[in-house]
């Protein structure tokens, strides 16, 4: 992918960035960083741009770690759900197999019952 030259202004300083990402995306990141750093400097006007950048970087690092941890937990939950779904599918397949077996057994017993019933009727006819 070709690098795009993107111009950013962050807390009054201009930067030219080469980025492979969409320029609009990079500009959005630059505006977000500018807003964050300006907010940090507004709260404590004694901070230098470098100090504000470090605080912003720490905040972004914290957000990134927390997002990664959340994503890891979600992946683990999804894995657990998939394992549960697989176990449930296996149980359902087994139950379906048992149901078919019992259905065939019931049909066999019904046929056997009809045969025995006819046999009994024949014996009763001979006796009576």
């Amino acid at each position: 992918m070709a690098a795009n030259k993107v111009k950013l202004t962050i807390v009054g300083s201009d930067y030219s960035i080469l980025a492979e990402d969409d320029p609009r995306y990079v500009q959005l990141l630059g505006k977000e960083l500018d807003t964050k750093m300006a907010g940090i400097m507004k709260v404590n006007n004694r901070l230098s741009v470098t100090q504000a950048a470090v605080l912003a970087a720490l905040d972004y690092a914290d957000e990134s770690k927390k997002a990664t941890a959340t994503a890891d937990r979600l992946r683990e939950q999804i894995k657990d759900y998939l394992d549960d779904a697989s176990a449930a599918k296996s149980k359902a397949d087994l139950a379906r197999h048992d149901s078919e077996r019992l259905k065939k057994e019931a049909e066999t017993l019904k046929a056997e019952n009809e045969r025995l019933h006819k046999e009994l009727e024949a014996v009763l006819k001979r006796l009576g």
Side-chain angles (χ1 to χ4, degrees):
M1 179 180 250
N4 299 302
K5 187 173 184 180
V6 183
K7 293 189 183 229
L8 303 175
T9 301
I10 300 172
V11 286
S13 295
D14 293 328
Y15 299 90
S16 290
I17 306 287
L18 286 177
E20 292 183 2
D21 291 314
D22 183 315
R24 290 172 293 191
Y25 174 72
V26 176
Q27 287 170 343
L28 181 67
L29 292 177
K31 285 182 184 179
E32 184 179 311
L33 180 59
D34 179 59
T35 300
K36 182 175 281 294
M37 288 178 61
I40 290 169
M41 293 175 76
K42 185 176 182 179
V43 170
N44 188 343
N45 59 4
R46 292 180 296 170
L47 292 177
S48 69
V49 171
T50 302
Q51 290 169 321
V54 168
L55 292 175
L58 284 171
D59 192 40
Y60 284 128
D62 177 51
E63 289 176 15
S64 174
K65 286 253 186 229
K66 287 177 181 173
T68 298
T70 298
D72 289 344
R73 281 192 304 277
L74 289 172
R75 275 191 283 280
E76 189 61 34
Q77 282 181 340
I78 289 169
K79 182 188 170 297
D80 290 345
Y81 293 149
L82 289 173
D83 290 346
D84 290 348
S86 178
K89 183 181 182 310
S90 293
K91 285 180 183 178
D93 290 343
L94 183 60
R96 197 171 9 266
H97 177 72
D98 284 348
S99 174
E100 290 297 319
R101 182 185 54 78
L102 291 171
K103 191 186 282 185
K104 287 177 184 174
E105 189 176 314
E107 289 172 4
T108 300
L109 291 171
K110 184 178 177 184
E112 179 70 9
N113 185 35
E114 287 176 13
R115 185 187 67 73
L116 290 172
H117 186 69
K118 286 179 184 178
E119 213 176 280
L120 177 62
E121 283 180 352
V123 169
L124 288 174
K125 241 185 202 180
R126 276 185 271 149
L127 293 173

